[in-house]
Amino acid sequence: MCLDVDCFFAQVMIGANPSLKGKPVAIRQKYIVVTCTYEARALGVTKLMSIVKALELVPDLIIVDGSDLTPFRAGGRKLFEITRTTLGECVPIEKKGFDEVYVDITEPAHTLVLEKKREFTPLEFHGHVFGEQIGSLDLLKAASEVVAELRREILLQAGWTCSAGVSDSKFAAKIASNMNKPNQQTCFIPFGPLYRDYFRALRVTDLPGFGWACKRLFAEQGLSQSIITCENMLDHLNEDDLTRIFKGDRALATSILELAQGVDKRQVAHMSSVTKQISREETSLPHPTNMQDLRLRVSSLVDPLFDLVEERHDSTLEYPRTIRLSIKFRSENGRKSKSRTLPDQLDDMGVLGRVANELLNEFAAIEPFVASHVNLCCTDFTCPESASESRGLKRTSMKQYLHSTKRHET
Ligand code: DCP
Ligand code: MG
């Protein structure tokens, strides 16, 4: 499945201000409409149109500033988390950009097929179908039901409508997701003459991986005018020709020729979470700041940070491999960071506290100073080999940890 939120920035802004719902709204960044609601699109406003032009077309267009990306990033994380909780930990989910996810729903669809068979309930397609419906197509029908369920959850939990496509590869699902918009879904049947012809009619430049470097190589060979569509390419170039054009890159040539025939072997990446790092920050530091103040602040960050690491570990089985301590100075020195590698499995809060303290000691040389922020961050989350056997983290009591800190100071 490929799922893409409709006019994403606009729906996020409407969520914060529901009175905008149903109206022509444009999201502005500098002088450009970065996106607009479908009501505005119906009146002729398009993405990336200038604000001046958009207002000429629709004088009462509501313009909302979208220069702060924070709510959109948060929205992107929410999309990922809803997808993750709806479909479960085992399903590969790959997030693209702000508002798009690819999900390999083979397993949930397969489970649904078996379930329906047990209950003697026939499967039906949800949404549109593009292509010849030959054979049972049960897995695709079940997949379309999984897609419909996720769209319902997103609408329920975030209030956003989405468009989605389902097929047997990322590329075909992406194409399908754009076939019917907004708030619709399409299954692109991945075989038959309609499928084949669809790809043959595409421009070669529409193929994933056919970037500016490929365009330049085609131009160098004088092919820009003669090879426009996939059909042109398939009729005139074989794998050896294309490998030569791509300066010996046979893997690229093979993949481009396959994609031109609707064959996409790229896997959906399995992202455990969009959150790359977890951090806690203390901003009310005394003026000036000494080492003792900092030690207290850092120790107060350890416990809540460990809570977050534990929470994440419970759902992902991942541990952070790096800890970073950053101090923001009020002077021109700006922010300074020190980091350390953590043990394979950070399952003890005492270890986090000890390493944080060691990092802090490295700052000792720059006393005295005035700091405004201190931030403790865990990052590089990975799943150790033996993860499945070792659920559950060991909690050293805060008292015990503070005791070890004191000992360190004396
Ligand atoms: N975006 C941007 N600049 C671009 C393209 C997109 O800032 N050149 C932002 C605004 C979009 C968001 O990314 O809201 C998602 O991009 P989409 O291409 O999915 O566009 P929309 O979600 O806005 O519209 P659609 O309904 O066509 O998906
Ligand atoms: Mg979108």
Side-chain angles (χ1 to χ4, degrees):
M1 139 173 41
C2 173
L3 179 142
D4 185 303
V5 182
D6 300 322
C7 57
F8 181 58
F9 284 15
Q11 288 206 81
V12 168
M13 287 318 212
I14 291 168
N17 184 358
S19 68
L20 300 176
K21 204 176 164 85
K23 298 185 179 155
V25 177
I27 305 301
R28 167 191 199 140
Q29 276 174 3
K30 299 209 167 116
Y31 307 106
I32 299 283
V33 171
V34 279
T35 193
C36 56
T37 56
Y38 280 77
E39 288 81 357
R41 294 184 201 191
L43 300 170
V45 183
T46 60
K47 293 192 257 187
L48 308 185
M49 181 179 264
S50 78
I51 294 284
V52 173
K53 175 94 189 286
L55 281 171
E56 259 169 40
L57 277 171
V58 184
D60 55 356
L61 182 68
I62 301 164
I63 313 265
V64 177
D65 180 53
S67 47
D68 177 10
L69 298 179
T70 316
F72 311 130
R73 291 204 181 100
R77 283 196 294 275
K78 187 167 190 168
L79 171 69
F80 184 90
E81 295 307 335
I82 296 171
T83 309
R84 173 58 74 222
T85 48
T86 305
L87 297 174
E89 287 305 322
C90 300
V91 172
I93 304 174
E94 181 178 338
K95 186 170 178 287
K96 284 266 170 193
F98 281 106
D99 74 333
E100 193 175 82
V101 282
Y102 285 97
V103 191
D104 182 347
I105 51 171
T106 313
E107 279 309 310
H110 190 62
T111 308
L112 192 59
V113 170
L114 297 177
E115 219 173 276
K116 296 274 180 175
K117 280 211 167 115
R118 264 200 311 273
E119 297 168 355
F120 300 104
T121 321
L123 279 154
E124 300 296 343
F125 273 116
H126 288 248
H128 305 267
V129 183
F130 184 85
E132 286 93 351
Q133 295 190 42
I134 312 155
S136 97
L137 305 176
D138 269 358
L139 195 61
L140 284 169
K141 286 177 182 169
S144 80
E145 189 164 331
V146 175
V147 173
E149 189 199 335
L150 178 60
R151 289 178 51 235
R152 264 196 307 274
E153 277 306 315
I154 294 168
L155 186 61
L156 200 72
Q157 295 184 39
W160 306 325
T161 63
C162 304
S163 296
V166 61
S167 195
D168 76 341
S169 71
K170 288 169 75 173
F171 188 30
K174 168 82 178 168
I175 290 170
S177 74
N178 283 316
M179 283 181 175
N180 295 288
K181 293 173 81 153
N183 197 18
Q184 295 174 76
Q185 66 178 70
T186 308
C187 176
F188 191 2
I189 308 267
F191 47 76
L194 261 179
Y195 186 78
R196 197 197 68 150
D197 292 348
Y198 190 97
F199 287 91
R200 288 182 76 86
L202 288 180
R203 289 172 166 267
V204 287
T205 48
D206 291 335
L207 299 174
F210 201 105
W212 62 268
C214 296
K215 272 186 213 162
R216 206 194 53 225
L217 292 168
F218 260 45
E220 277 172 22
Q221 300 289 319
L223 297 170
S224 303
Q225 304 302 317
S226 55
I227 310 283
I228 309 286
T229 64
C230 291
E231 180 160 26
N232 301 151
M233 180 171 69
L234 293 168
D235 288 349
H236 294 103
L237 302 173
N238 63 25
E239 196 177 302
D240 288 339
D241 301 328
L242 207 54
T243 304
R244 190 174 33 76
I245 294 163
F246 291 157
K247 308 271 188 222
D249 191 340
R250 186 167 291 275
L252 178 63
T254 312
S255 118
I256 291 292
L257 286 173
E258 283 174 350
L259 287 164
Q261 298 166 79
V263 176
D264 178 6
K265 293 183 176 158
R266 293 172 304 160
Q267 295 287 310
V268 174
H270 190 133
M271 295 180 172
S272 55
S273 169
V274 210
T275 324
K276 294 225 164 51
Q277 53 186 47
I278 291 176
S279 69
R280 298 309 271 168
E281 191 160 85
E282 175 65 77
T283 51
S284 54
L285 295 174
H287 215 286
T289 325
N290 62 34
M291 218 45 189
Q292 186 58 30
D293 301 323
L294 272 182
R295 212 171 287 292
L296 273 172
R297 305 297 161 138
V298 170
S299 69
S300 71
L301 295 176
V302 171
D303 198 15
L305 183 62
F306 190 75
D307 276 344
L308 295 175
V309 168
E310 194 176 38
E311 198 178 295
R312 181 182 162 129
H313 176 81
D314 283 346
S315 57
T316 63
L317 297 181
E318 290 178 339
Y319 292 102
R321 292 306 317 279
T322 305
I323 179 173
R324 188 171 61 237
L325 179 70
S326 309
I327 299 176
K328 194 170 170 204
F329 298 94
R330 287 188 203 271
S331 63
E332 59 288 342
N333 292 342
R335 185 183 277 265
K336 281 207 162 66
S337 299
K338 310 263 180 200
S339 53
R340 277 278 168 88
T341 302
L342 286 164
D344 270 5
Q345 303 190 7
L346 178 75
D347 53 2
D348 185 339
M349 189 169 68
V351 173
L352 192 63
R354 204 161 42 246
V355 182
N357 244 318
E358 285 168 16
L359 287 172
L360 190 56
N361 289 338
E362 294 182 22
F363 281 96
I366 46 175
E367 254 190 313
F369 51 81
V370 179
S372 63
H373 287 57
V374 57
N375 178 296
L376 193 60
C377 166
C378 281
T379 181
D380 292 337
F381 283 86
T382 45
C383 201
E385 298 281 296
S386 56
S388 47
E389 298 145 28
S390 65
R391 291 194 81 114
L393 282 72
K394 193 167 83 204
R395 178 167 285 272
T396 316
S397 77
M398 194 62 198
K399 248 190 202 152
Q400 207 177 324
Y401 158 63
L402 282 173
H403 178 68
S404 74
T405 308
K406 259 204 170 132
R407 257 210 327 252
H408 186 95
E409 278 168 5
T410 53

